[in-house]
Amino acid sequence: GSAGSQSMHKSSCVVLSKQKLNIRNLVSYEKQEFPIKAIMFINTRGIKICVSPNLKWVQAAIKKIDQKR
């Protein structure tokens, strides 16, 4: 494995959802910088949803999750 090869086992955001998610259903999140800036939320069913980090409700959801942790 050279440093240049990207492993695909870690899922990454390519398309962002426009849909507002129910904050109560979100259990965690990951910040992503590449290939696009995104927040990947993981809901109670283990489904990963990618959204823009710039949205107001996204910031609120991140705060909520951080408080729970």
Side-chain angles (χ1 to χ4, degrees):
S2 65
S5 65
Q6 281 292 323
S7 60
M8 290 309 295
H9 68 89
K10 189 171 173 14
S11 57
S12 65
C13 301
V14 187
V15 180
L16 299 180
S17 171
K18 301 272 187 279
Q19 191 179 327
K20 185 176 178 187
L21 306 172
N22 187 337
I23 293 175
R24 282 188 301 236
N25 294 340
L26 303 175
V27 290
S28 71
Y29 69 90
E30 287 174 32
K31 288 185 176 162
Q32 177 187 294
E33 295 290 327
F34 186 84
I36 54 173
K37 273 190 192 293
I39 300 293
M40 182 192 288
F41 283 120
I42 296 136
N43 71 11
T44 49
R45 285 190 255 151
I47 297 167
K48 296 174 177 177
I49 308 104
C50 299
V51 294
S52 167
N54 305 329
L55 300 172
K56 268 209 170 83
W57 73 263
V58 173
Q59 300 298 326
I62 288 170
K63 275 197 186 113
K64 200 72 149 203
I65 292 167
D66 285 343
Q67 284 166 2
K68 270 196 246 175
R69 281 183 178 172

